[in-house]
Amino acid sequence: MFYSLTGTVVFYDTQSVAVSCGGVAFNCQTSMNTLKQVAKKGDEVTVYTYLNVREDALDLFGFSTVKELDCFKMLISISGIGPKMALAILSVLSPDELSLAIAAGDYKVIATAQGIGAKKAQRIVMELKDKIASGMLNEVFDVSSAEVAQASSSGNTAEAISALTMLGYSQTESASVVSRLDKSLSVEQMIKEALKLLSKQV
C-alpha cells in the first residue's frame, strides 16, 4: 500500500518516528539504526515503509534505506520472528553486519538483540546461511558481504579471525575488519593491522 513517505519529522521516541506528509503525520515503528539517521525534528526525510495488517491493528514500519526494509521483511518471513524481534535485531546490527553474522554462523551476536535468545538466533542463521552463500539473497545483502564471509572460512584470514575472537571480539566484527586487509599478509601481520583498525572503532 505504501512504498515510502517523504515529509517532515514532527515526533520521535526510542521506537518510532512520525513523518508529516501533506498535513497528515504517519507514525512509523522503526529500528535504532534508522532513528540515528532520521530522528531530528523539522528535518525532511524519506522512510521506506512496510504495512503490517493484523485483525485488530494496522502497524506501519519505516526505514531509512531500502536495504534495511528488505532485511526487515526477510526476518519476519522466518517462523517465530515477528516485527518487534526484527526491529530489535536491526537496532543492534546493520544489514551488512547481519549478513556477515549469518554467513559466518555467528548466532551469538544476533542473540545480543533484546528478546532474541540463542535458539531463535540459531534458527535465523540456519534458515538464511545457505541462501546467502548461494546468492539467493543478493537483492537484500551485498554480494561482497557474502564473499567476505566465505573467504573467512579458510587460510590466513580464518586463523586471524580465530585469534581475534579469542581476544574477545565477535566473529562478525573480526571478519569485517580482516576482510579489509591485504590477503598476502601473514597471520601475525593481519592480527596487528586488525587490532589497529578495531582500536579506532572504539
Side-chain angles (χ1 to χ4, degrees):
M1 184 176 181
F2 298 107
Y3 175 73
S4 66
L5 297 172
T6 298
T8 304
V9 175
V10 294
F11 170 82
Y12 67 89
D13 57 21
T14 58
Q15 298 177 321
S16 65
V17 60
V19 180
S20 178
C21 308
V24 179
F26 296 87
N27 192 58
C28 303
Q29 297 179 55
T30 191
S31 69
M32 289 301 298
N33 281 325
T34 283
L35 285 171
K36 291 176 184 177
Q37 301 297 319
V38 305
K40 292 182 181 179
K41 280 188 179 180
D43 281 5
E44 183 168 300
V45 299
T46 295
V47 291
Y48 300 91
T49 57
Y50 175 83
L51 183 64
N52 189 48
V53 180
R54 298 185 296 163
E55 289 185 4
D56 58 345
L58 296 174
D59 296 320
L60 189 63
F61 298 86
F63 303 93
S64 60
T65 65
V66 173
K67 183 185 286 188
E68 191 174 19
L69 169 63
D70 288 342
C71 196
F72 172 80
K73 291 191 288 188
M74 177 200 66
L75 286 169
I76 63 174
S77 71
I78 299 172
S79 176
I81 305 298
K84 288 185 178 180
M85 290 183 182
L87 288 182
I89 293 169
L90 293 172
S91 288
V92 297
L93 295 171
S94 70
D96 286 343
E97 289 170 338
L98 180 59
S99 71
L100 278 171
I102 293 169
D106 188 6
Y107 74 89
K108 292 182 180 179
V109 72
I110 299 174
T112 61
Q114 186 175 4
I116 305 295
K119 288 185 178 180
K120 283 189 171 67
Q122 287 172 328
R123 182 187 302 160
I124 292 169
V125 170
M126 181 180 67
E127 292 201 20
L128 300 179
K129 187 173 184 179
D130 289 343
K131 292 181 180 179
I132 289 178
S134 67
M136 290 176 65
L137 297 179
N138 286 354
E139 73 279 7
V140 180
F141 296 127
D142 287 337
V143 178
S144 58
S145 295
E147 290 172 346
V148 166
Q150 291 170 347
S152 71
S153 62
S154 62
N156 288 354
T157 55
E159 290 186 44
I161 291 168
S162 177
L164 291 169
T165 56
M166 290 178 67
L167 292 173
Y169 296 100
S170 75
Q171 188 169 353
T172 300
E173 62 183 342
S174 299
S176 179
V177 169
V178 172
S179 71
R180 292 184 250 161
L181 302 177
D182 184 345
K183 301 302 181 292
S184 66
L185 295 175
S186 67
V187 175
E188 292 77 13
Q189 289 172 319
M190 282 189 174
I191 294 170
K192 288 181 181 179
E193 292 300 316
L195 288 172
K196 289 179 184 178
L197 292 172
L198 287 164
S199 66
K200 293 178 181 179
Q201 294 179 7
V202 176

